Amino acid sequence: MKRFVSLFLVFALIATFALVGCTQTNEKGDGQQGADEAKGTVKLGVVNWAEGIAMTNLAQAILEDKMGYDVEVTMAEPGLIFTSLAEGDYDAFLDGWLPVTHQSYMEQFGDDLADLGYNFEGARIGLVVPEYVDINSIEEMNSVKDKFDGKIVGIGSGAGIMQASEKAIEEYGLDFELVEGSGPVMTAALADAVDNNEWIVVTGWKPHWKFARWDLKFLEDPKKTYGEAENIHTIARKDLEEDMPEVAQFFKNFKMNDQQLGSLMGMIADNQDKEPVDVAREWMKQNEDLVNSWIPAE
């Protein structure tokens, strides 16, 4: 009799724990899966570049909130990210500039990487002016030097675009001073000039939120001092499509244009007191149709 009672208590306890476990598993609402139902962890690498931070945090929000994955994001330099992808330590990187900027890494690690296609088309660097400025080429700048006050408003001295701009001044024989500053200083000067309908030329790159906020244009660069336009690609470890086909397909579907990425970058820039992933969640809610179009059908 005692043995029967003991067995009964054991089975009762097992049933109770099982019921509690099921209840806890299904408590998470809002269409998200509970922790016990998570599909796995997606590991993303990101460089401290504005467009990569914006896209990576948006991808994190979508993978977590809409697709049921856990996401780990690690910030590192490009070389370490490509090495980690090749070794299988990271799953994907959304900020691969091709065919020029990161081509050497693709050649070095190509056999262990998968290119899932571009997520942004037409990335480039160069000299940028407001649309109302009535010249269209770097070759015309000297003829209107006084309207620009003889200055090109730049960013930090160590940036690649500053080195390219110094080369452009030499190759085009520009009688201009390249003024060092920072990204925020450059955009503040641009905002002030646009508000007053004044001429200004800045070192600029796309994607950047300034193109979503103001009507701007790149000056033509016939000498190709700033190089050709590039696309931004999602680079993954070689076996991602086999191991996580849904995640790989999501990354293949994930594409943003100037306005979309610019508005997301602008929201993050304007909300420095918030975590970028939280800002990305706000943007996601405002762009549900676009976001849902990236998620693979079950």
Side-chain angles (χ1 to χ4, degrees):
M1 185 65 179
K2 289 181 179 179
R3 183 178 300 171
F4 174 78
V5 172
S6 297
L7 288 172
F8 176 79
L9 290 173
V10 169
F11 284 121
L13 285 170
I14 292 173
T16 300
F17 285 132
L19 180 60
V20 170
C22 290
T23 302
Q24 290 176 341
T25 298
N26 292 301
E27 279 179 352
K28 196 170 185 180
D30 300 327
Q32 299 181 45
Q33 295 185 325
D36 292 342
E37 294 180 275
K39 297 178 180 179
T41 299
V42 180
K43 298 179 180 180
L44 304 177
V46 62
V47 178
N48 191 18
W49 297 342
E51 76 283 347
I53 289 172
M55 290 191 289
T56 302
N57 280 277
L58 178 58
Q60 178 183 354
I62 297 168
L63 286 164
E64 289 181 342
D65 296 2
K66 288 182 170 288
M67 297 178 65
Y69 292 88
D70 293 325
V71 177
E72 292 180 7
V73 177
T74 303
M75 185 173 290
E77 293 302 311
L80 179 58
I81 289 177
F82 277 92
T83 301
S84 298
L85 286 170
E87 294 177 350
D89 295 328
Y90 296 167
D91 293 309
F93 173 53
L94 284 85
D95 208 5
W97 286 54
L98 296 173
V100 179
T101 303
H102 292 140
Q103 184 58 35
S104 62
Y105 294 122
M106 295 300 293
E107 293 172 352
Q108 182 178 356
F109 300 110
D111 291 342
D112 297 309
L113 301 175
D115 183 351
L116 301 184
Y118 72 84
N119 53 53
F120 182 88
E121 194 172 16
R124 59 181 297 191
I125 64 173
L127 295 182
V128 172
V129 298
E131 189 67 45
Y132 56 75
V133 169
D134 59 10
I135 65 168
N136 295 304
S137 174
I138 297 174
E139 292 181 317
E140 301 175 78
M141 287 177 60
N142 278 340
S143 65
V144 287
K145 172 189 172 183
D146 291 343
K147 289 189 175 183
F148 287 122
D149 198 25
K151 295 178 181 177
I152 299 171
V153 181
I155 56 173
S157 59
I161 193 172
M162 292 293 282
Q163 297 170 14
S165 296
E166 290 171 354
K167 184 179 178 182
I169 289 173
E170 181 180 347
E171 292 196 358
Y172 286 97
L174 298 180
D175 189 17
F176 277 71
E177 176 190 1
L178 179 60
V179 181
E180 294 180 8
S182 66
V185 169
M186 178 269 289
T187 52
L190 183 59
D192 185 63
V194 171
D195 287 345
N196 292 286
N197 203 44
E198 296 173 347
W199 283 41
I200 187 172
V201 55
V202 304
T203 57
W205 60 93
K206 179 192 288 190
H208 190 282
W209 56 264
K210 62 181 176 287
F211 286 94
R213 188 162 300 180
W214 303 298
D215 291 327
L216 306 172
K217 63 183 179 182
F218 281 94
L219 290 178
E220 295 171 6
D221 176 22
K223 296 182 184 293
K224 305 298 181 186
T225 307
Y226 290 97
E228 301 285 353
E230 298 187 82
N231 294 335
I232 301 177
H233 289 236
T234 299
I235 310 299
R237 59 179 174 83
K238 182 175 63 175
D239 298 329
L240 183 67
E241 290 185 77
E242 180 181 344
D243 299 341
M244 292 181 163
E246 182 184 42
V247 173
Q249 188 59 54
F250 161 68
F251 284 131
K252 289 181 179 181
N253 296 344
F254 185 103
K255 289 180 172 61
M256 304 186 79
N257 61 27
D258 268 353
Q259 183 63 38
Q260 293 158 356
L261 182 52
S263 66
L264 173 59
M265 293 169 68
M267 280 184 66
I268 292 174
D270 291 340
N271 291 275
Q272 296 291 327
D273 57 326
K274 297 181 180 179
E275 291 295 325
V277 69
D278 294 328
V279 179
R281 286 189 166 98
E282 294 176 19
W283 191 93
M284 180 175 69
K285 292 176 182 178
Q286 297 172 13
N287 296 271
E288 287 281 355
D289 290 344
L290 174 65
V291 168
N292 289 336
S293 72
W294 297 333
I295 299 173
E298 294 184 5

